[in-house]
Amino acid sequence: MSTASTPTRTPVIAGNWKMNNTVKETETLLKELIPLVEGASAAVVVCVPFTDIKRAAQLTKRTNIAVGAQNVAWADKGAFTGEISADMLKEAGAKYVIIGHSERRQYFGETDVTVNKRLKQALSKGLTAIVCVGETLLEREGGITEQVVKAQIEGGFKDITAAQTKKVIVAYEPVWAIGTGKTASAKDAQDTIAFIRGVLKKRFGAVSGEKLRIQYGGSMNAQNVDELMAQPDIDGGLIGGASLKAADFARIVKFKA
Ligand code: PEP
């Protein structure tokens, strides 16, 4: 693994498979991917559908790929139809979990309050959380990007301590760039991520804020990864579409910054 974007931060690149890949398809993709990501420039994670976690964890054992989920319930267990608990995820082999992805916010009513509840649960159970924030196109055009991400961080991280942030990764994902082929320019991504780091430093102190890893997400691909990863505050990526193609994802995790 190469050095981090700063000596204190190891880059981390996570694939978000979304609602793609049956167990059979997972086997095919991972068998192709595993040899290709050896010698990656970052820690590598694949966040797979719940039903794929167990098989993905088996296949990636003794490799440099860790497995994650895409959501976690805020309760331990009980009458929460359709939810999945942290213990269930851990038993299946997940080490990471995405929380508050914009698709969860857009289609399933996720709010900063539910993000906060899920985050507390994930951390109390020892999962590493990838917490997503980002503005919509309307918000960007309205000039309120910073206001929006600041509110998402303040709400999502309510009552979280600086010590707990060791198991947190923030993913800055402008909603208008997700799955659209439109990427924020490296400068815009860097500027907003530097702003987010400032908010985190204010909230958790300079040391913890400096150590927190912040990913960029939104049509990151094999062509634009090097420029994005060369930015001083960008510590990795959350990758949707391109994580479903082994060669593309492998090139991304082997970025040259
Ligand atoms: C995502 O789903 O978090 C994402 C960034 O998707 P894509 O890379 O396809 O834009």
Side-chain angles (χ1 to χ4, degrees):
M1 194 181 292
S2 81
T3 52
S5 44
T6 80
T8 53
R9 300 195 298 268
T10 303
V12 54
I13 292 185
N16 173 16
W17 286 9
K18 312 195 188 200
M19 197 173 69
N20 292 293
N21 292 331
T22 61
V23 170
K24 253 212 145 21
E25 289 163 340
T26 294
E27 287 173 352
T28 306
L29 178 51
L30 285 178
K31 281 178 185 165
E32 196 184 345
L33 188 63
I34 287 166
L36 295 180
V37 302
E38 273 174 31
S41 315
V44 182
V45 183
V46 289
C47 295
V48 305
F50 299 137
T51 49
D52 297 334
I53 292 172
K54 193 170 181 184
R55 188 69 185 121
Q58 285 167 349
L59 286 167
T60 56
K61 213 172 168 183
R62 287 184 287 276
T63 75
N64 60 331
I65 301 176
V67 176
Q70 300 168 19
N71 196 10
V72 61
W74 57 70
D76 281 350
K77 55 156 69 178
F80 295 93
T81 304
E83 289 284 306
I84 191 151
S85 78
D87 287 338
M88 292 168 186
L89 296 179
K90 282 171 41 179
E91 184 179 59
K95 305 270 188 237
Y96 290 75
V97 61
I98 298 172
I99 297 177
H101 190 278
S102 67
E103 286 151 17
R104 300 288 321 163
R105 294 177 190 256
Q106 187 179 350
Y107 304 129
F108 303 103
E110 201 79 62
T111 65
D112 297 333
V113 171
T114 58
V115 166
N116 181 243
K117 290 168 79 166
R118 294 185 198 282
L119 176 60
K120 285 175 181 162
Q121 180 70 353
L123 295 176
S124 79
K125 295 285 184 176
L127 289 164
T128 295
I130 301 174
V131 179
C132 302
V133 299
E135 82 287 359
T136 62
L137 186 58
L138 213 63
E139 290 163 342
R140 169 153 288 248
E141 288 173 348
I144 57 167
T145 295
E146 293 188 350
Q147 209 172 304
V148 168
V149 295
K150 184 168 184 272
Q152 288 172 333
I153 286 170
E154 282 170 355
F157 285 87
K158 189 167 173 282
D159 303 325
I160 300 296
T161 65
Q164 286 179 300
T165 63
K166 286 190 190 117
K167 291 273 228 177
V168 174
I169 296 162
V170 175
Y172 166 59
E173 299 206 298
V175 178
W176 49 270
I178 297 177
T180 58
K182 288 183 198 153
T183 320
S185 70
K187 186 186 175 310
D188 282 351
Q190 162 60 28
D191 287 352
T192 306
I193 288 177
F195 171 80
I196 290 171
R197 189 173 306 288
V199 173
L200 292 166
K201 279 184 177 172
K202 224 176 235 166
R203 173 70 178 74
F204 296 112
V207 174
S208 298
E210 195 57 39
K211 282 187 184 159
L212 255 161
R213 288 177 294 177
I214 309 177
Q215 297 173 319
Y216 169 78
S219 300
M220 196 189 248
N221 58 39
Q223 285 72 47
N224 59 29
V225 63
D226 295 344
E227 195 190 357
L228 286 160
M229 288 305 299
Q231 306 305 312
D233 281 288
I234 301 183
D235 306 316
L238 185 55
I239 321 295
S243 72
L244 299 171
K245 297 174 202 138
D248 287 10
F249 191 59
R251 173 62 183 84
I252 291 169
V253 303
K254 289 186 169 174
F255 68 86
K256 301 170 182 66

